[in-house]
Amino acid sequence: MSTLQYNRLCFHLKLAILWMLFSGAVFCIHVFASTTEVETNSDAGKFIMKSYFENYESLHDSSFEDFMAHQLSSSLCQGIPDNWNVGVRLSVRELSLVGEGSHRHLSSSIRLQIAAASIPKLPAHLCEVIVIQRLPLGVFADPFELQNPHKHKAFRDIAVFGDTNLELPSFQSNRSAVEFHIDAGFNILFMQNNGTEFNLLLPLDARYQPLDESGYSVVEIGEPDMLMRCSVEGKQHKQSCLFMSPPNEKAKSTSATVAWKIPAGMKAHAGFLSVITFVTALLSTLSIVYASMFLSGTKVSKT
Amino acid sequence: MISLKPRSILLISAIFRVGLILVGEWQDTHMEVRYTDVDYLVFSDAASLMASGQSPYKRTTYRYSPLLAFLLIPNSFISRCWGKFLFSASDLFVGLFIRIILKQRKVPDDLCTYSMLIWLFNPFTFTIGTRGNCEPIVCAIILWIIICLINGNVVQAAFWYGLIVHFRIYPIIYVLPIVIFLDPRFFRYGTKPLLSDWTSDPGKARQINSELIDKCAVCDVWKSTFTRSRILFGLISGTVFLLCTGFFFHLYGWEFLHEALLYHLTRTDARHNFSIYFYHIYLNYERELSVLEKLVSFLPQFIVQLVLILCFAKDLVFCFFVQTVAFVAFNKVITAQYFVWFFCVLPLILPWSNMKLKWKGLCCILLWMGAQTHWLLWGYLLEFKGKNVFLQLWMASLLFLAANTFILIVLIRHHNYGPVFRQHTDLKTTKTT
């Protein structure tokens, strides 16, 4: 190829690439409107789980319940006398696992009930329901999947806290939790006597499980923790505070869990498997070596 | 006989890729299953972090050179599709470079065209770039290195080689064949090396071959190791690699070194993949593997690479191909994107193969695809149906290795081996007198 032809080719290539990039960029920007993105872990003061992980290294049920009982109590709404008179009730009506295999959805149906007399007291348009789903060791929520705007446009915020390493097996990972924030304003204003319902569909993925003789490992997922947070007028400025269901209604029933059976490796396979793996690798190696040295066009001869 | 001109082929390929990218964007926005590779989101996030002055390694699972994040910084302020267009452009460059290499070796036009089509319209390769995978950049640079070498431009080849090894570790396997390839009989100061032209006559190819076959490639290396070309190549590529690595180490510290380099050197993944070792790793994940076990799993790779280099280094392009196939097949982790590494070199060796598409070629294609499909079937049952089929999946990976080995052997048997270069006439005359 002559130098002139080479230079001309380079010039044409550059033009083509620039044209391609420009036209594509124009399309991407103008034809497909950008969709709202789910923020992950963006606002320091917003997420309750972020506060939890500032005080604790990892997620344990006992530490979390202690955190909810004691550390959050200072955030309960004080302005309204006797928080419980507001009559906020958050309960899980249904909890189920949808789908098959290693990628499923946790379906939660949550009911919010507020005593009718209390509704006018609430700044409905400034309230949100917070749902915290603690996940056991064997499963995780993929933060990237939660960024899918098509699925999660109903939520104000979603974030994953704890161990978000997607690659580690369960016996080398820690627990995580997902926190949802759902705008409750519209629902409160038009609430019926039996309350209003929110449906959550959380995509979950199974980690590789510890080895098990049966070939399966069972992971149990419990009910989420729920609160409502409203912005209220304080003495000097607006501040947010929390409403929780009364303590006697917060105790969860043991039957309100879902079980997920996940395939696990079997120790019984270990012995013969390693031998066969290495023998196969060796046979392949010898075959390629033989073919290269004796069956190819190469010749080893003196010139 | 195909009568399409190369420009038309490239234009159609470009339009096709632009269309795929746009359709992919629509799919991402409107459908549950994304078109875009999850890795592209990782690159983009890392690029955003870099654009705001932070370390790209704050993004979990970003395990690449900061160069990649740098290239994708325009994702943040031009368009999130910028990276896809960049990768697709590299994809087109690969097609162009395939043609340039083959034309320089005097391959007939129709074979050049077929070779371009094999890359540009391979469903596997055109989805890779348009989904946002960065492998086309690596492929384009490797082919450019080949172009530099066959034009005798050792300095430029060394520069790009140092850069690409920094970018993606695996091309380090090519260092020894390149050093052997820089034979002083062909690479002489001030003289462009003479290319061996393509020939369809296997007999003539063997004759050319026998003129230049030496006693032993290893003996060559030891006899004349420290030639100007070899020293230059080693110094420049090593310097470029160390400069890039040192610069980014200075910026991002041990996190960069661990994530971008050491992770890949020591990577094992217990999760299911095409490698025959995946189940063995999973079953032994809770304990540390012994030195003997690590050595035994490394030896097949080492032996195969060494033998392939010693046998085929003079036919550099073919050597690259067989090395890459073997490297991927014997690796501890095999994912589908690794196949692109040898797909980009495959069109360059086909004109030298006397294997006919009907029916041997077709059988090889079907065997490879069949073994892969078989593995994917068990993988689907495990991952999407929750069945415990680990054993069957492992057996499928053994079959996949067997298929790869068989096809590699068939390609070796049917390849008209011939060194890329021929000797300069004056040196040949001196040798014969």
Side-chain angles (χ1 to χ4, degrees):
Chain A
M1 197 180 0
S2 69
T3 311
L4 183 63
Q5 282 177 322
Y6 178 77
N7 289 339
R8 203 179 286 169
L9 173 66
C10 285
F11 177 71
H12 286 146
L13 265 174
K14 285 172 193 169
L15 270 182
I17 291 164
L18 276 171
W19 171 83
M20 208 167 69
L21 288 171
F22 177 73
S23 56
V26 167
F27 269 108
C28 281
I29 292 166
H30 292 290
V31 175
F32 302 115
S34 63
T35 54
T36 54
E37 287 186 4
V38 175
E39 291 178 5
T40 51
N41 303 345
S42 59
D43 190 325
K46 202 187 279 190
F47 291 100
I48 290 171
M49 288 309 297
K50 193 165 177 66
S51 306
Y52 171 83
F53 278 102
E54 280 166 3
N55 294 292
Y56 299 89
E57 261 190 41
S58 55
L59 180 60
H60 297 287
D61 287 339
S62 53
S63 313
F64 183 76
E65 277 153 22
D66 181 62
F67 171 78
M68 290 286 276
H70 298 110
Q71 300 216 19
L72 281 191
S73 57
S74 58
S75 303
L76 291 175
C77 294
Q78 305 289 340
I80 301 170
D82 194 352
N83 185 24
W84 309 129
N85 280 347
V86 177
V88 171
R89 305 280 184 274
L90 281 158
S91 58
V92 176
R93 205 174 69 80
E94 193 187 333
L95 190 70
S96 62
L97 213 51
V98 179
E100 290 180 291
S102 301
H103 312 288
R104 301 195 190 188
H105 287 80
L106 181 69
S107 174
S108 319
S109 181
I110 292 163
R111 177 173 287 146
L112 170 65
Q113 287 172 298
I114 303 174
S118 304
I119 290 176
K121 293 181 193 171
L122 282 173
H125 62 290
L126 296 171
C127 290
E128 60 181 5
V129 171
I130 299 173
V131 178
I132 298 171
Q133 180 66 59
R134 285 177 273 163
L135 300 174
L137 264 178
V139 299
F140 66 94
D142 188 341
F144 318 124
E145 210 171 339
L146 291 177
Q147 285 174 14
N148 189 333
H150 175 67
K151 280 183 178 174
H152 303 293
K153 52 192 169 196
F155 304 115
R156 189 183 277 176
D157 281 301
I158 309 177
V160 183
F161 295 89
D163 193 340
T164 55
N165 188 321
L166 316 178
E167 297 169 350
L168 290 177
S170 69
F171 41 90
Q172 288 193 341
S173 59
N174 293 308
R175 290 179 64 184
S176 58
V178 184
E179 184 170 331
F180 297 87
H181 292 199
I182 308 154
D183 192 355
F186 181 82
N187 300 83
I188 292 173
L189 283 176
F190 297 97
M191 193 174 290
Q192 305 294 320
N193 286 335
N194 57 352
T196 187
E197 273 188 22
F198 303 95
N199 294 309
L200 303 181
L201 205 60
L202 174 62
L204 295 177
D205 303 283
R207 293 189 184 279
Y208 262 49
Q209 301 298 302
L211 305 182
D212 194 289
E213 275 177 20
S214 67
Y216 290 91
S217 174
V218 178
V219 166
E220 289 192 350
I221 306 171
E223 282 185 357
D225 301 281
M226 296 158 291
L227 317 101
M228 193 168 77
R229 178 161 61 195
C230 298
S231 285
V232 294
E233 286 293 341
K235 285 180 183 165
Q236 288 172 336
H237 53 264
K238 256 190 194 161
Q239 57 193 16
S240 61
C241 61
L242 300 170
F243 294 97
M244 285 197 282
S245 292
N248 59 345
E249 291 192 17
K250 278 175 22 178
K252 295 175 188 163
S253 73
T254 51
S255 61
T257 57
V258 289
W260 186 347
K261 197 173 165 190
I262 303 169
M266 295 167 72
K267 254 190 192 138
H269 294 161
F272 70 86
L273 191 129
S274 301
V275 172
I276 296 175
T277 300
F278 292 125
V279 166
T280 307
L282 182 66
L283 286 174
S284 294
T285 304
L286 292 174
S287 307
I288 293 170
V289 167
Y290 180 81
S292 302
M293 293 179 73
F294 303 108
L295 300 180
S296 67
T298 55
K299 287 182 193 147
V300 179
S301 59
K302 292 183 185 175
T303 53
Chain B
M1 188 98 88
I2 292 182
S3 59
L4 277 174
K5 287 184 183 170
R7 278 185 196 183
S8 309
I9 294 172
L10 284 171
L11 187 64
I12 294 168
S13 305
I15 293 169
F16 182 58
R17 279 155 175 77
V18 170
L20 269 180
I21 291 170
L22 299 178
V23 168
E25 287 296 300
W26 180 89
Q27 182 173 330
D28 287 353
T29 314
H30 294 90
M31 293 176 71
E32 194 163 322
V33 177
R34 284 182 189 243
Y35 180 76
T36 302
D37 196 326
V38 69
D39 276 349
Y40 188 71
L41 303 176
V42 176
F43 303 156
S44 299
D45 289 348
S48 306
L49 287 165
M50 193 184 243
S52 59
Q54 299 176 70
S55 166
Y57 299 100
K58 280 190 175 175
R59 177 60 161 87
T60 54
T61 70
Y62 181 74
R63 296 200 175 96
Y64 301 88
S65 165
L67 272 177
L68 178 60
F70 176 75
L71 287 173
L72 263 60
I73 283 176
N75 272 23
S76 307
F77 56 86
I78 294 180
S79 163
R80 65 180 181 225
C81 302
W82 161 269
K84 290 183 182 180
F85 282 99
L86 184 67
F87 301 149
S88 297
S90 304
D91 199 10
L92 296 173
F93 271 116
V94 172
L96 178 67
F97 293 162
I98 286 171
R99 182 171 177 82
I100 290 172
I101 292 168
L102 294 178
K103 287 304 284 183
Q104 285 198 269
R105 299 190 69 186
K106 308 279 193 295
V107 173
D109 221 41
D110 57 339
L111 285 181
C112 291
T113 304
Y114 281 125
S115 296
M116 278 181 83
L117 292 173
I118 284 169
W119 170 262
L120 290 171
F121 291 97
N122 182 338
F124 190 84
T125 54
F126 63 62
T127 51
I128 281 276
T130 54
R131 289 187 66 217
N133 194 291
C134 68
E135 302 298 345
I137 291 184
V138 182
C139 295
I141 292 176
I142 293 207
L143 262 57
W144 183 251
I145 290 169
I146 293 173
I147 291 174
C148 292
L149 286 172
I150 65 178
N151 283 293
N153 195 338
V154 176
V155 171
Q156 207 186 139
F159 170 81
W160 288 106
Y161 184 72
L163 192 68
I164 201 60
V165 172
H166 163 81
F167 192 82
R168 208 88 167 94
I169 308 291
Y170 91 87
I172 195 69
I173 63 173
Y174 303 143
V175 69
L176 196 50
I178 291 176
V179 167
I180 295 172
F181 184 72
L182 295 174
D183 191 313
R185 286 173 299 169
F186 311 123
F187 280 86
R188 296 161 72 190
Y189 179 67
T191 313
K192 190 176 169 177
L194 298 174
L195 281 170
S196 302
D197 296 342
W198 178 86
T199 172
S200 61
D201 180 357
K204 195 170 177 195
R206 277 195 285 275
Q207 190 185 7
I208 295 169
N209 173 31
S210 66
E211 287 175 5
L212 290 167
I213 286 296
D214 303 302
K215 298 181 185 87
C216 173
V218 173
C219 302
D220 267 346
V221 172
W222 285 111
K223 265 190 199 170
S224 52
T225 301
F226 299 105
T227 62
R228 181 193 165 89
S229 303
R230 285 171 175 155
I231 292 171
L232 208 57
F233 185 85
L235 276 177
I236 294 173
S237 57
T239 304
V240 169
F241 174 80
L242 289 172
L243 274 177
C244 291
T245 307
F247 174 67
F248 291 121
F249 179 73
H250 172 71
L251 288 180
Y252 304 116
W254 284 104
E255 202 176 16
F256 149 72
L257 211 58
H258 181 263
E259 297 289 341
L261 286 176
L262 300 177
Y263 169 82
H264 297 287
L265 293 174
T266 58
R267 182 184 180 186
T268 55
D269 199 337
R271 293 172 301 168
H272 54 284
N273 60 85
F274 291 105
S275 172
I276 60 171
Y277 298 109
F278 92 86
Y279 198 18
H280 166 76
I281 293 169
Y282 175 29
L283 291 174
N284 295 285
Y285 215 74
E286 291 182 72
R287 65 171 183 87
E288 181 75 24
L289 290 175
S290 66
V291 173
L292 180 67
E293 278 170 314
K294 288 179 185 172
L295 192 66
V296 168
S297 55
F298 175 67
L299 264 179
Q301 179 76 275
F302 178 76
I303 292 169
V304 165
Q305 290 295 316
L306 193 62
V307 169
L308 290 174
I309 290 167
L310 295 180
C311 290
F312 302 118
K314 292 272 165 58
D315 190 344
L316 188 72
V317 179
F318 185 69
C319 188
F320 275 17
F321 176 77
V322 292
Q323 273 192 273
T324 315
V325 171
F327 181 76
V328 171
F330 285 95
N331 208 24
K332 287 207 189 96
V333 179
I334 305 174
T335 61
Q337 69 187 74
Y338 295 175
F339 302 152
V340 182
W341 297 349
F342 56 76
F343 274 152
C344 67
V345 192
L346 176 65
L348 296 174
I349 66 155
L350 289 179
W352 279 265
S353 178
N354 57 34
M355 182 165 52
K356 302 282 178 221
L357 184 63
K358 282 182 184 180
W359 291 101
K360 234 173 198 168
L362 214 53
C363 284
C364 286
I365 293 169
L366 290 173
L367 177 66
W368 194 76
M369 287 173 61
Q372 216 183 122
T373 307
H374 175 240
W375 187 96
L376 288 170
L377 174 69
W378 292 112
Y380 172 78
L381 287 174
L382 173 68
E383 193 168 335
F384 296 99
K385 291 295 178 187
K387 307 284 182 204
N388 187 323
V389 291
F390 280 110
L391 206 59
Q392 294 91 326
L393 191 57
W394 163 72
M395 286 164 62
S397 62
L398 295 182
L399 277 174
F400 187 60
L401 174 66
N404 277 293
T405 303
F406 176 78
I407 292 166
L408 188 59
I409 290 170
V410 167
L411 284 168
I412 288 171
R413 283 198 66 185
H414 286 85
H415 181 72
N416 292 327
Y417 173 84
V420 174
F421 295 126
R422 51 192 165 88
Q423 266 182 281
H424 289 273
T425 8
D426 56 347
L427 188 63
K428 208 159 115 182
T429 310
T430 310
K431 278 201 101 167
T432 53
T433 54

